Amino acid sequence: MTSLDLSNGFDVHDYRAKLKLLRQDAGSMSLANREGLSCPACGAEFDRLFVSDDEAVTFDSAPNGPICVARTDERLLVLTH
Ligand SMILES: [Zn+2]
C-alpha cells in the first residue's frame, strides 16, 4: 500500500492518479482516495483527504469515523477513515 509521503511537502500532482478531486476553492480542496493510499498519521487506508493552505479552517460537520491530522510546512491535511 502506498502511503502519502509528506517528507518533502504535499503536492496533489504526485498522487493525481490515486486521488479524485471532489471540491476545490481558493485555499483548499477535498479529495477521495481511490487507490488504497494509506494515511501518513495512522497507516490505515483513508477515505477522504482535505488539504488546505489557509491559516484557519472551519468544518460544518464532523464524520463519524476516526480523523487524522497531518501537516507540512505549507499545508494542513485532514484525513477521515
Ligand atoms: Zn489515519
Side-chain angles (χ1 to χ4, degrees):
M1 186 157 36
T2 309
S3 178
L4 287 186
D5 179 5
L6 303 182
S7 54
N8 290 308
F10 175 79
D11 184 346
V12 69
H13 298 107
D14 294 344
Y15 303 97
R16 198 199 310 251
K18 295 180 164 58
L19 293 169
K20 181 180 185 215
L21 183 65
L22 300 175
R23 243 178 55 185
Q24 185 167 29
D25 62 28
S28 57
M29 57 190 157
S30 298
L31 304 133
N33 184 7
R34 60 179 177 195
E35 285 273 336
L37 283 168
S38 64
C39 173
C42 72
E45 184 176 333
F46 62 88
D47 181 31
R48 298 286 169 87
L49 167 64
F50 174 85
V51 184
S52 183
D53 299 341
D54 295 338
E55 287 177 6
V57 177
T58 299
F59 297 98
D60 293 330
S61 62
N64 293 322
I67 303 172
C68 292
V69 179
R71 67 172 178 83
T72 67
D73 288 346
E74 295 100 20
R75 302 203 161 90
L76 169 73
L77 289 79
V78 179
L79 306 101
T80 59
H81 292 274

